[in-house]
Amino acid sequence: MAVVLSKDLKPTDIKHRFSFPSGSLQYVDFAGEFSADLRVKDSSGEVRVIRCRKRARDYAKPELSKGWRKYVTDYELRVGDRAVLLAEEDHRLGSQFRMEAKRRIILLGQEVWGDLPRAN
């Protein structure tokens, strides 16, 4: 599995859409379009369709839009949590990616990132 992106969430990521660095675009097949529907398996094993869009201008800043807010709600994500998108072909489920939600915790005086289970 290759890490496509790992980002600590900001208010805009939680409330509207999840923007991420354009260097991660190499993993998304847009087929000449400005958006692509990604089949993403979450940590509970559910396959979700999340739309990835990019700008049509010189700087193709990508973002996850349709389907992203449902993921935020289902995992009760908040500012400061981390979203990790991994490239993972699961032919059985037909998914292209795996999404993990993480929260910072202090364990025995050390900062670690714990996996968030689906809340809803």
Side-chain angles (χ1 to χ4, degrees):
M1 279 188 284
V3 175
V4 175
L5 64 97
S6 177
K7 180 182 176 190
D8 294 355
L9 301 176
K10 297 181 174 157
T12 300
D13 299 322
I14 297 295
K15 295 177 185 174
H16 304 289
R17 67 195 119 347
F18 178 80
S19 62
F20 57 94
S22 57
S24 301
L25 285 174
Q26 66 185 354
Y27 295 95
V28 180
D29 180 11
F30 285 97
E33 301 294 324
F34 292 104
S35 69
D37 288 340
L38 309 180
R39 293 184 51 81
V40 179
K41 181 172 64 172
D42 66 17
S43 60
S44 69
E46 179 182 341
V47 176
R48 300 165 176 268
V49 176
I50 299 178
R51 180 156 299 148
C52 181
R53 301 183 317 177
K54 64 179 179 175
R55 292 181 184 166
R57 298 180 216 117
D58 293 337
Y59 177 57
K61 183 174 179 133
E63 62 188 25
L64 300 180
S65 56
K66 183 179 176 185
W68 167 250
R69 288 280 305 129
K70 172 113 173 75
Y71 183 82
V72 168
T73 301
D74 287 350
Y75 281 82
E76 296 180 346
L77 296 177
R78 56 188 188 214
V79 173
D81 287 345
R82 181 174 288 171
V84 180
L85 184 66
L86 305 153
E88 173 190 72
E89 289 289 333
D90 186 331
H91 298 289
R92 185 177 59 82
L93 293 176
S95 64
Q96 304 163 307
F97 300 94
R98 177 175 175 82
M99 178 75 77
E100 297 177 352
K102 301 189 177 285
R103 183 160 291 150
R104 184 182 332 217
I105 57 175
I106 303 300
L107 183 64
L108 301 173
Q110 298 292 321
E111 179 182 275
V112 296
W113 288 93
D115 293 329
L116 282 175
R118 183 175 175 160
N120 296 323

